[in-house]
């Protein structure tokens, strides 16, 4: 069906493209904008590899259409990374080996950052169970999750301590 | 998979959305999209058009008035999850929210969408049934209100007509005697429930009346276990469990005998919740 | 010797200053992955690249009478529609057999089905289009006229006379059969004080790699070269296969593998749809991309573990195990997968049952039969999860029968730590294992006595917790005994080239590959240590058949042990070469010099003599200043293959502590432990993380995962909502401990660690559930996965 023009902001950059309505957000980011950091794992909304931020909230990139993002602000892992917002989380992941193949990692980082931002607002260090629950929608086949929980817990503590 | 091609229109008003539904007989409404887009991705559904109603104003509010809590169709799960109003006045819905999918899903999914989609294993339809809630809809013939007990008609089938749009849900606000209970069993956090129970009652100490037990995951729609409700009102949890007359089907994960047994286990757990006075 | 945590081992033969052996350094190059700047095959985009989607058979078994592609060809964006017979002109079929698995047979398999589709999901036509979405649109318009045929779906009856034979040329549905009879099994059972007999069932699984299988094939008709970007574990093997079946010389094919989103063995096999994609690129002379979506992955990624094992153990009152016996039946797909074959898993089960124990009487029978379900082949820990579950399940059932503590039962039967080298009843040759030391370490680590006390306490309150164990051995560092001897062109050797660049840093090209386990890091650590630079001066190149030594890739936990040894030797060789240059430059004896931290030093006292940067500058740009006739050689290549042992066996022991909700049948995993002996540990954190990831895959096997088929061969749960993979909220924390028994077959002494977690976890979970429910008189559960259904049934509640 006929393509539509959309204008949005992606990682701080204004973007104008013509897309078919059926183009999902994650495919738009990957194929039309060549931002391949967001990954496709299932296209049913279960694995979380496509998790990106739209208007400040994490969403499944495979369950939103690009046309729905007309006028929206989208942040992908590349943007979250370059802005420095998750630098401490990335470092913790690297040091703790909370990633192996790295395919789930962009989505995992977005979901972890979502938890940590809210936790920091209320000066709370989430428990390991709370971390596991928040990340329960992000599939990782490599790590078995233990290292990821360690990394997120460490950053949660550090952030509360450093910004009381 | 990639969806089959479809046209897309962003409706600016309910009238426009209704008109578009009339012009395009196999168009689908797009609200949260968390169920719809997954089915499109798997080509289980191939509508010719999606009518995006996310931009329609007036459907995103929550209000407490006239002893009822009204929640607009486009209220996102996450808003309901964080709403103090819902926590205070519609606690059963608040209890159900963390079980719905995962944070990224809850940021987009809407209460109206969940009710209109009517997945038999979903939490909110059962909550609505347990609370004797109401559904507001608007269509070419105007507005109407449908009782929850009349709304869920079959597997993914509701009382909504082909051109009708759900605009709000409404439940009685909690009162001093109002009791609620909620429990579900899922193999993994956030999965659709194997069996779940949303319950409400009026309580005077441990004595219960007006018991509503709405099971989900046990049939094509959420189901009231009326015989068990009567037994609970008579004071016996054991009798209530024995009186459960659910007829679940086997599904890919769990067979019907297990579901029936689990329904009984959930009843005991929820009974304990119902018998606790609200603090 | 023992280590826990990060303290490096003392390795006298390897003592190198600033050594990275035994250090948990973070993997270099993780930043590209945390920044989302990796390059997975699914990210690759080439000019004029087209996309392929496959029309797949909805029937488990059907004759393909006719395919009509006219409407599809006219669909917007469609470039070509190609059927099996058309593709056969470009690519030859293959047969997955190995001569050392005597009698193994299979029918030829084509990249796209010709005449008959043999499993639900097999490709019957390819649609190539400008985009994946348009290719799928085209697929919907292809009309295939099928005549359904009876489907063989029950392994138990697959060999019955009445059951149709899937491939008439084979005569029956038997793929492979193996029998073993060692010692005096009947006598041992007859004389045993107690015999336990039961049947174990294992659910069919699949890998569910987060990145699905992906491949971009690019035939350059001018170069007459095929470049394949492939998410494979074994690029050289695939180079060989692509060339062979396209009728090209192997050097006409280049396979490039950068980042791979998970493999676990799923991506070490030859897939019909991937071969078809390569053939299509040649046919259409343009790049063609194939990325399996999740739905097609479930019916085409290899499945594994679908076995029924009848098993028996004989035991005496004093706990001595007197005999093991098994009868293993597995239903694979309609073809034995190429080139590693679908006979290996059952072969491993036969070889590995009873492995940790000093029991001389063992009888085994295994039959592998064809069915019309998806193909089956090697998946992480191949056969071990089954063999360990059978063995350890029997051991704990026997212990319960004679009233002996399960750890004590093991102490009385595990091969003594000083009994090596020795050979198991099944013929496995062990160099040196540490079952007893590992068990003692586990006992202490988990505070076994404390947990038993807690268990008893809670049981009195109606809370049912269980403790379960699994001792295991693990095949790693395979020699040619695994595949080469059977005629497969699968190499067991590996190579590393180390070169000094013009600034004094080193680049290591290795034939092993990286899919997240840390192979790149391990190679870097080894090379940095052997050569003498800090790790930030090492770059590792992997996954490119044009740019790495001919190697086997990564599978059977070989990267550290085999790839690492090649890198070690190459690093030492380069050091010798560089010290020869240094000697020439400094007028000193090379043997009196060393390289430490990037500087040439006096070996005796560490006095700094010459930075590598300077040496490189002179060697590359000012060779005129070197002594007459001197030629600097700043690159070295070494290869390594294990020669002394067919496999480097490792060993370990795991424990699970869990709680069963006896009302709901749900299992809550409280904690998991693993003590692993994988020889020299190069990076303890990476070993621990391999174990953790492996354990969770094993937990998936025990509690969640099963590919469900109906009697017509239709997969019922091929999606992420219905096939349950472990997610974070249900998984326990996992404590890891280590014992170190290096292998003498290499200087590094490293064995593999990639699969141990998966090998032992299912057994542990099973044993823990049965331990929890035993006081309630429940029938022991031996049918995985242990769903609430099954647990409630065992408790008599449904």
């Amino acid at each position: 069906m006929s393509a539509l023009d959309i204008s949005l902001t992606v990682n701080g950059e204004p973007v104008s493209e013509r897309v078919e309505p059926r183009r999902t957000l994650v495919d738009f980011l990957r194929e039309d904008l060549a931002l391949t950091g967001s990954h496709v794992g299932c296209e049913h909304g279960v694995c979380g590899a496509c998790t990106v931020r739209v208007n400040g909230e994490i969403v499944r990139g495979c369950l939103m259409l690009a046309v729905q993002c007309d006028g929206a602000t989208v942040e992908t892992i590349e943007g979250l990374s370059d802005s420095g917002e998750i630098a401490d989380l990335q470092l913790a992941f690297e040091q703790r080996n909370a990633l192996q193949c790295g395919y789930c990692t962009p989505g995992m980082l977005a979901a972890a950052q979502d938890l940590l931002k809210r936790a920091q607002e209320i000066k709370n260090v989430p428990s390991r169970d709370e971390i596991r629950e928040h990340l329960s929608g992000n599939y990782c086949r490599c790590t078995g999750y233990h290292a990821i929980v360690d990394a997120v817990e460490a950053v949660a503590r550090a952030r509360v301590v450093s910004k009381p | 998979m990639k969806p089959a091609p479809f046209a897309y229109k962003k409706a600016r008003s309910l009238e426009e959305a209704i008109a578009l539904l009339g012009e395009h007989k196999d168009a689908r409404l797009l609200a949260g999209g968390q169920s719809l887009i997954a089915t499109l991705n798997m080509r289980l559904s191939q509508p010719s058009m999606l009518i995006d109603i996310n931009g329609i104003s007036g459907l995103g509010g929550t209000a407490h008035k006239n002893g009822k809590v009204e929640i607009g169709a486009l209220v996102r799960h996450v808003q309901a999850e964080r709403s103090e109003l819902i926590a205070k006045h519609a606690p059963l819905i608040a209890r159900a929210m963390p079980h719905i999918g995962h944070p990224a899903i809850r940021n987009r999914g809407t209460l109206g969408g969940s009710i209109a989609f009517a997945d038999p294993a979903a939490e909110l339809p059962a909550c609505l049934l347990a609370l004797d809630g109401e559904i507001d809809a608007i269509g070419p013939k105007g507005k109407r209100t449908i009782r929850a007990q009349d709304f869920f008609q079959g597997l993914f089938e509701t009382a909504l007509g082909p051109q009708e749009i759900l605009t709000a849900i409404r439940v009685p606000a909690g009162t001093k005697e109002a009791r609620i209970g909620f429990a579900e069993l899922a193999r993994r956090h956030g999965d659709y429930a194997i069996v779940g129970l949303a319950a409400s009652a009026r309580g005077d100490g441990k004595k219960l009346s007006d018991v509503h037990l709405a099971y989900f995951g046990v049939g094509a729609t959420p189901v009231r276990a009326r015989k068990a409700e009567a037994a609970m009102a008579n004071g016996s949890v054991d009798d209530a469990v024995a009186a459960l007359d659910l007829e679940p089907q086997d599904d890919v994960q769990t067979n019907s005998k297990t579901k029936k047994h689990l329904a009984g286990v959930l009843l005991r757990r929820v009974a304990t919740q119902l018998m606790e006075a609200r603090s | 010797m023992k280590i826990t945590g990060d303290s490096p081992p003392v390795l006298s033969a390897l003592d190198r200053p600033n050594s990275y052996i035994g250090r948990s350094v973070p993997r270099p190059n993780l930043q590209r992955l945390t920044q989302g700047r990796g390059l997975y095959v699914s990210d690759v985009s080439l000019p004029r690249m087209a996309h392929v989607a496959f029309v797949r058979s909805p029937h488990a078994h059907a004759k393909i009478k006719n395919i009509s592609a006219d409407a599809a060809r006219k669909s917007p964006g469609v470039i070509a529609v190609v059927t099996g017979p058309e593709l056969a002109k470009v690519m030859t079929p293959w047969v997955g057999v190995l001569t050392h698995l005597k009698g193994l047979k299979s029918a030829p398999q084509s990249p796209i089905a010709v005449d008959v589709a043999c499993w639900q999901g097999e490709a019957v036509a390819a649609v190539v289009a400008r985009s994946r979405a348009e290719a799928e649109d085209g697929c919907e318009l292809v009309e295939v006229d099928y005549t359904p045929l009876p489907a063989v779906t029950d392994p138990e009856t697959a060999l019955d006379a009445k059951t149709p034979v899937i491939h008439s040329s084979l005569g029956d549905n038997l793929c492979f059969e193996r029998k073993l009879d060692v010692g005096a099994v009947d006598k041992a059972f007859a004389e045993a004080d107690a015999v336990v007999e039961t049947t174990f069932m294992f659910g069919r699984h699949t890998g569910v790699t987060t990145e699905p299988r992906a491949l971009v094939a690019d035939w350059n008709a001018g170069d007459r070269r095929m470049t394949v970007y492939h998410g494979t574990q074994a690029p050289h093997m695939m180079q060989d296969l692509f060339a062979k079946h396209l009728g090209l010389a192997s050097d006409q094919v280049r396979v490039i593998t950068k980042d791979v989103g998970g493999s676990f063995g799923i991506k070490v096999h030859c897939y019909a749809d991937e071969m078809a994609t390569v053939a299509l690129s040649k046919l259409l002379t343009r790049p063609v991309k194939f990325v399996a979506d999740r739905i097609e992955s479930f019916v085409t990624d290899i499945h594994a573990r679908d076995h029924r094992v009848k098993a028996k153990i004989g035991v005496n009152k004093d706990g001595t195990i007197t005999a093991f016996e098994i009868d293993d039946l597995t239903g694979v797909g309609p073809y034995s997968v190429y080139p590693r074959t679908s006979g290996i898993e059952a072969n491993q089960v036969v070889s590995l049952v009873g492995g940790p124990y000093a029991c001389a009487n063992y009888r085994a029978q295994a039959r592998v039969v064809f069915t019309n379900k998806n193909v089956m082949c090697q998946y992480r820990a191949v056969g071990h999860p089954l063999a360990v579950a059978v063995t350890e399940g029997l051991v704990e059932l026997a212990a319960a029968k004679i009233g002996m503590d399960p750890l004590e039962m093991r102490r009385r039967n595990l091969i003594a730590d000083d009994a090596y080298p020795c050979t198991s009843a099944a013929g496995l040759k062990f160099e040196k294992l540490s079952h007893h030391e590992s068990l003692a370490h586990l006992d202490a680590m988990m505070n076994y006595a404390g947990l038993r006390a807690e268990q008893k306490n809670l049981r009195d309150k109606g809370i049912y917790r269980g403790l379960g164990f699994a001792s295991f051995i693990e095949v790693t560092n395979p020699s040619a005994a695994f595949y080469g001897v059977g005629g497969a062109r699968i190499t067991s050797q590996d190579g590393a080239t180390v070169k000094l660049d013009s600034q004094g840093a080193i680049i290591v090209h290795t034939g092993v590959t990286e899919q997240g386990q840390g192979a790149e890091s391990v190679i870097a650590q080894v090379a940095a240590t052997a050569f003498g630079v800090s790790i930030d001066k090492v770059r590792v190149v992997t996954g490119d058949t044009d740019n790495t030594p001919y190697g086997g890739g990564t599978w059977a936990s070989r990267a550290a042990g085999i790839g690492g040894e090649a890198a070690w030797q190459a690093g030492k060789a380069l050091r010798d070469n560089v010290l020869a240059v240094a000697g020439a430059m400094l007028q000193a004896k090379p043997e009196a010099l060393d390289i430490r931290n990037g500087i040439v030093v006096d070996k005796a006292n560490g006095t700094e003599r010459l930075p590598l940067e300077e040496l490189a500058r002179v060697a590359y740009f000012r060779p005129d200043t070197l002594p007459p006739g001197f030629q600097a050689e700043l690159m070295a290549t070494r290869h390594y293959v294990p020669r002394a042992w067919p496999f480097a066996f490792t060993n370990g022991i795991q424990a699970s502590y869990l709680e069963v909700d006896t009302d709901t049948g749900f299992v809550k995993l409280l904690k998991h432990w693993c003590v692993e002996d994988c020889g020299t540990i190069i990076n303890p954190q990476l070993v621990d993380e391999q174990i953790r990831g492996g354990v969770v895959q094993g937990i998936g096997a025990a509690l969640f995962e099963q590919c469900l088929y109906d009697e017509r061969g239709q997969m019922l749960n091929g999606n992420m909502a219905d096939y349950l993979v472990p997610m974070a909220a249900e998984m326990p924390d996992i404590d890891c401990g280590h014992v170190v028994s290096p292998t003498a077959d290499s200087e590094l002494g490293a064995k593999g660690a990639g699969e141990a977690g998966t090998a032992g976890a299912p057994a542990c979970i099973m044993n823990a559930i049965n331990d929890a429910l035993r006081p309630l008189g429940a029938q022991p559960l031996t049918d995985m996965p242990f769903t609430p259904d099954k647990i409630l049934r065992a408790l008599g509640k449904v």
Side-chain angles (χ1 to χ4, degrees), chain A residues 82-94:
Chain A
D82 290 348
S83 71
E85 182 185 334
I86 55 170
D88 54 350
L89 199 48
Q90 288 167 309
L91 184 63
F93 266 55
E94 290 152 20

Side-chain angles (χ1 to χ4, degrees), chain A residues 92-122:
Chain A
F93 266 55
E94 290 152 20
Q95 291 184 327
R96 184 58 193 83
N97 210 63
L99 67 151
Q100 292 186 24
C101 79
Y103 200 77
C104 76
T105 306
M108 195 69 78
L109 288 169
Q113 175 62 358
D114 182 61
L115 171 69
L116 291 177
K117 265 196 343 185
R118 209 116 38 77
Q120 195 176 7
E121 275 164 27
I122 59 176

Side-chain angles (χ1 to χ4, degrees), chain C residues 423-497:
Chain C
T423 304
S424 79
L428 304 177
K429 293 179 163 46
F430 301 134
E431 180 187 3
K432 167 81 179 86
L433 301 176
S434 60
H435 288 295
H436 289 268
E437 189 175 351
S438 300
L439 190 154
H441 192 20
L442 178 78
D443 189 340
M445 239 175 93
M446 66 189 288
N447 183 15
Y448 178 54
L451 288 174
R452 278 293 184 208
E454 181 175 86
Q455 177 190 35
K456 179 175 185 317
N457 215 338
L458 290 169
R459 204 182 300 147
D460 296 339
K461 300 189 181 123
I463 294 170
Y464 294 91
R465 292 191 175 176
L467 283 163
F469 300 91
S471 281
F472 57 90
I473 55 172
E474 180 70 39
V475 166
T476 76
N477 295 359
S479 67
F482 212 158
Y483 292 112
V485 299
R489 293 170 64 86
I490 292 171
T491 185
S492 49
Q493 58 81 54
D494 227 284
T497 299

